[in-house]
Amino acid sequence: MEDCVFCKIIKGEIPSNKVYEDDDVLAFLDISQITKGHTLVVSKKHYDNFLTTPKELMHHMMDVAQTIGQIQIKELHAKGVNIISNCYEEAGQSVMHFHIH
């Protein structure tokens, strides 16, 4: 999708601080850093949100998010982590691309 900020990050058109990358997933630090280590895990293929993403890919993204969360607890000494996905603007989704905060 041409105007999607995450698609532009995935293509390298917008710089990012990558935390993890494979053929299907990219994880990078959120530019606003609401909390230390705030990381976005996104699918490299554009889907509108969690509800439209194929289950196998969704499971892989959750595995990546879990690993990153475990590292944040161990290495950043976080007391806890949130793994969330907002679906549709009314629920707080600001970018129409599936991602896990």
Side-chain angles (χ1 to χ4, degrees):
M1 187 161 251
E2 288 184 29
D3 59 342
C4 173
V5 67
F6 292 161
C7 290
K8 290 178 180 181
I9 291 170
I10 291 163
K11 291 178 191 172
E13 296 172 4
I14 297 174
S16 66
N17 292 312
K18 294 178 185 179
V19 172
Y20 173 88
E21 183 174 18
D22 65 26
D23 291 340
D24 300 311
V25 174
L26 176 65
F28 54 94
L29 295 177
D30 189 293
I31 195 165
S32 64
Q33 284 296 292
I34 295 168
T35 58
K36 184 178 178 181
H38 183 182
T39 304
L40 300 173
V41 180
V42 301
S43 163
K44 285 188 171 181
K45 185 172 180 187
H46 186 100
Y47 295 98
D48 283 343
N49 57 46
F50 173 90
L51 301 174
T52 61
T53 302
K55 287 181 182 181
E56 285 185 16
L57 177 56
M58 188 178 63
H59 293 171
H60 176 55
M61 291 176 68
M62 289 303 288
D63 287 343
V64 171
Q66 180 184 42
T67 298
I68 291 170
Q70 291 167 338
I71 291 169
Q72 290 173 333
I73 297 282
K74 182 178 179 185
E75 300 298 327
L76 298 179
H77 307 289
K79 301 281 187 222
V81 297
N82 294 316
I83 298 175
I84 62 170
S85 181
N86 301 327
C87 297
Y88 302 110
E89 189 174 348
E90 291 78 9
Q93 183 179 3
S94 59
V95 177
M96 291 299 158
H97 187 112
F98 178 53
H99 63 282
I100 302 170
H101 291 247

